[in-house]
Amino acid sequence: MYKTIIIALALIFISCQSGLEKQYKHSSKEEDLLEVSKQITKQELKQLKKHITELEEIGGVLTGKTYKALLIESESIAYERQQEIEQEKRKEEERVEAEVLKREVQNKTRLLCANKWKIREYAFQLEIPDNSEENVALAKQILNKAINIKDVEPLISVIQETNKTFVKREFDETTVKIFNNNNKRWKKYLPDGTYTDQSGDEVIKGTWEFVDANTIKETRPSDSHIRRKKKDIFFLTVKTLDENTFHFYEEEYDYLNSNSIVSSSIVMKS
């Protein structure tokens, strides 16, 4: 009698267990999963069934595990697989980006090294937040200080680029010729990462490299009188580079503070 009561209570306890709380049994798997399906989403059920099938095929541990524990396992495995997929996707995207960058740099290197370059236009410019009268006036003041040439009428303009506004002061043609040593100054970039900058009898050599598709890093000897600044490393932001024109921006001076950088806008022709 007592034994019958215990068995009856056990059956009642088992019957009261929800599908997720039941332990896996191969013999009752289909019925149990049918009950479990009422407690979880279709996607979770699909994931759970896949996990159980995979464990059954490889002889994995199923005995003693509840369907809830198996569901948690399946979610963890699915998350890890998704992370692996995303990581592989990122690696492939990075590989493609690197390949595109490599081809772009190779093409620009070919263009850069194809000619001797001579300066044809030279200007100082200052980026401003917007082209308000106050900002333009202040920029002009800074640029007039940067370029102080007697008897030369300043050529001032406001130029708009993507998300940027500059006030630009150009050197006149006569001044550019002087700076260009009456067309006797030229610069030659070589594929081995070196360059020659010659002005009259002075020959200056340095190194160069693309750090990205639109930025060239140059090193220049500190004892050159061609240099206008006492630093060794320069970064050139490439604006145009084709068979005939090499236009770039180069940081120059800080006249007010770290937020007021005057840069050179240099156009070189082959």
Side-chain angles (χ1 to χ4, degrees):
M1 179 66 179
Y2 179 76
K3 184 177 181 180
T4 302
I5 293 173
I6 295 297
I7 293 173
L9 289 174
L11 290 172
I12 292 171
F13 174 75
I14 292 171
S15 64
C16 290
Q17 285 183 304
S18 70
L20 284 172
E21 298 301 327
K22 288 183 178 180
Q23 292 186 357
Y24 166 86
K25 286 184 180 180
H26 184 72
S27 59
S28 60
K29 180 179 69 172
E30 296 304 324
E31 292 82 359
D32 294 339
L33 286 174
L34 181 61
E35 186 176 351
V36 167
S37 68
K38 300 174 183 178
Q39 300 174 271
I40 59 178
T41 66
K42 290 182 179 179
Q43 178 60 33
E44 288 173 330
L45 180 63
K46 180 179 178 181
Q47 187 172 282
L48 176 59
K49 286 182 175 180
K50 180 181 178 181
H51 181 52
I52 291 172
T53 299
E54 289 176 350
L55 288 176
E56 288 174 338
E57 290 175 349
I58 65 173
V61 178
L62 282 162
T63 304
K65 291 183 178 180
T66 64
Y67 287 100
K68 181 178 181 180
L70 290 168
L71 177 60
I72 293 172
E73 277 184 10
S74 70
E75 290 174 340
S76 177
I77 292 171
Y79 175 78
E80 290 176 0
R81 286 175 178 170
Q82 183 60 35
Q83 291 296 103
E84 290 173 358
I85 291 171
E86 291 178 1
Q87 185 177 14
E88 289 301 316
K89 182 180 178 181
R90 286 194 296 270
K91 285 182 179 179
E92 178 61 16
E93 289 174 348
E94 290 171 359
R95 186 195 67 78
V96 171
E97 289 174 1
E99 188 63 30
V100 170
L101 175 61
K102 180 181 178 181
R103 288 196 298 267
E104 189 172 357
V105 168
Q106 286 175 339
N107 183 54
K108 289 188 175 180
T109 296
R110 177 185 60 79
L111 293 168
L112 185 67
C113 297
N115 302 303
K116 288 183 178 179
W117 300 100
K118 295 182 180 181
I119 297 174
R120 290 292 182 264
E121 298 176 24
Y122 203 109
F124 278 178
Q125 62 187 27
L126 180 65
E127 184 180 351
I128 56 176
D130 57 66
N131 60 348
S132 66
E133 291 184 7
E134 182 180 0
N135 286 333
V136 172
L138 179 59
K140 287 181 179 180
Q141 180 182 347
I142 295 170
L143 291 172
N144 286 334
K145 182 179 179 181
I147 307 174
N148 186 14
I149 303 175
K150 293 182 179 180
D151 303 322
V152 174
E153 185 69 23
L155 305 173
I156 300 280
S157 61
V158 178
I159 58 174
Q160 188 74 43
E161 294 187 356
T162 304
N163 300 323
K164 289 187 177 182
T165 303
F166 294 93
V167 175
K168 180 178 180 180
R169 178 172 177 178
E170 300 177 46
F171 285 92
D172 67 304
E173 185 177 350
T174 300
T175 305
V176 172
K177 284 184 178 179
I178 295 171
F179 184 79
N180 205 24
N181 198 5
N182 290 320
N183 207 32
K184 294 178 182 178
R185 181 181 178 185
W186 53 265
K187 193 169 187 177
K188 176 66 176 177
Y189 292 87
L190 301 174
D192 65 0
T194 63
Y195 69 82
T196 298
D197 188 351
Q198 183 163 341
S199 180
D201 296 329
E202 182 180 18
V203 178
I204 299 300
K205 295 182 180 295
T207 63
W208 70 275
E209 64 175 316
F210 276 101
V211 295
D212 59 45
N214 296 305
T215 307
I216 296 173
K217 176 183 176 182
E218 283 193 9
T219 60
R220 302 173 188 171
S222 57
D223 58 351
S224 167
H225 72 255
I226 291 178
R227 291 164 44 81
R228 300 177 308 284
K229 304 166 283 296
K230 294 181 179 179
K231 60 180 181 178
D232 299 317
I233 298 176
F234 294 76
F235 290 92
L236 282 55
T237 301
V238 179
K239 307 305 293 184
T240 304
L241 179 55
D242 56 33
E243 287 81 359
N244 303 308
T245 304
F246 177 29
H247 179 200
F248 61 89
Y249 294 167
E250 177 185 311
E251 183 180 300
E252 286 287 339
Y253 305 101
D254 181 356
Y255 278 93
L256 289 182
N257 51 58
S258 60
N259 295 318
S260 298
I261 302 295
V262 176
S263 62
S264 295
S265 173
I266 302 172
V267 176
M268 305 182 86
K269 296 286 186 176
S270 59

